[in-house]
Amino acid sequence: MSEADPHDGQPVEHRGTPLEDAERAVVLLHGRGARATGMLQFADDLPSEATAFVAPQAARATWYPKSFLEPTRENEPWFSSALSLVGDVFRDVTEHVPADRVLLLGFSQGACLGSEFVARNPRRFGGFVAFSGGLHGPEGTTYDYAGSLDGTPVFLGCSDRDPHIPESRVHETKAVFESVDADVTERIYEGMGHGVNEDELKFAASMVDSL
């Protein structure tokens, strides 16, 4: 593992239809302490016909060492390395599947990483799903992303009592994505804690089905 680029050369796991034959794709970003192979289990709850599921693995099972609420520089070089890996995976996927038929889905730290990747690389994605996540930065961070997501469907689901993700950050993330032309659905679940519920999975499945 390179100290300057910790995620360089990390494995990328696959499930479902091979990319060469797929009509749509889902890029799955796992949370802290998790595995890409575990993230692929979301495929059980999503439409799988002609769908390629792709999941990169973070070095040491974490995308960056500190909370997403810390200043970004405190998570370097891990954070930039993680964004680079997601970019590489997205480019590989879009060699076979058009970007507007590719949905990114992240949970927890993966949802935070995915939020930043989508905001920093605005275009028409097939969709973005953040289960318990949001944009990076400490309280009071101002977000000034340029470009347009051109109507990309975005789903933000989180608990009102998530020990890792402040509800206010979910609202801020919604406002930022809407400011760059995303079609955002936000759902806050009372007392759910840090997890994923059936309603979220059904909504994500409908987004994949629409690709």
Side-chain angles (χ1 to χ4, degrees):
M1 187 187 78
S2 165
E3 292 296 325
D5 192 0
H7 301 296
D8 182 42
Q10 282 296 112
V12 179
E13 306 291 344
H14 296 260
R15 180 172 166 178
T17 303
L19 277 170
E20 294 80 1
D21 302 320
E23 296 178 3
R24 57 191 176 189
V26 179
V27 177
L28 298 157
L29 303 174
H30 66 76
R32 185 192 302 272
R35 308 294 301 176
T37 50
M39 199 67 189
L40 286 174
Q41 293 177 13
F42 276 110
D44 293 339
D45 297 294
L46 301 174
S48 59
E49 183 176 354
T51 308
F53 296 93
V54 183
Q57 175 64 51
R60 298 178 182 169
T62 187
W63 294 112
Y64 39 84
K66 297 184 179 180
S67 167
F68 81 115
L69 299 172
E70 296 292 329
T72 300
R73 64 179 179 277
E74 300 292 329
N75 277 312
E76 294 293 12
W78 290 72
F79 178 62
S80 292
S81 176
L83 286 174
S84 179
L85 176 59
V86 175
D88 289 344
V89 169
F90 186 76
R91 277 189 292 275
D92 288 344
V93 170
T94 53
E95 285 183 5
H96 305 283
V97 180
D100 62 0
R101 304 202 72 181
V102 179
L103 180 142
L104 290 87
L105 183 155
F107 171 65
S108 190
Q109 194 182 56
C112 299
L113 175 64
S115 295
E116 285 290 335
F117 178 79
V118 170
R120 291 174 184 226
N121 298 277
R123 62 182 301 164
R124 182 56 164 87
F125 295 90
F128 173 57
V129 173
F131 291 148
S132 304
L135 291 165
H136 279 232
E139 184 177 353
T141 297
T142 56
Y143 299 99
D144 187 23
Y145 296 104
S148 173
L149 287 169
D150 193 21
T152 294
V154 171
F155 177 80
L156 306 174
C158 196
S159 172
D160 63 339
R161 301 177 194 172
D162 191 305
H164 305 290
I165 313 296
E167 181 182 338
S168 59
R169 181 53 53 91
V170 181
H171 299 323
E172 289 177 290
T173 300
K174 175 178 184 286
V176 171
F177 278 133
E178 287 181 335
S179 75
V180 288
D181 310 320
D183 179 9
V184 184
T185 299
E186 177 197 277
R187 291 186 182 177
I188 302 296
Y189 301 94
E190 184 176 351
M192 181 176 73
H194 194 62
V196 180
N197 66 28
E198 186 173 346
D199 183 70
E200 290 178 291
L201 290 171
K202 285 183 177 178
F203 199 95
S206 71
M207 290 174 69
V208 175
D209 202 36
S210 297
L211 290 174

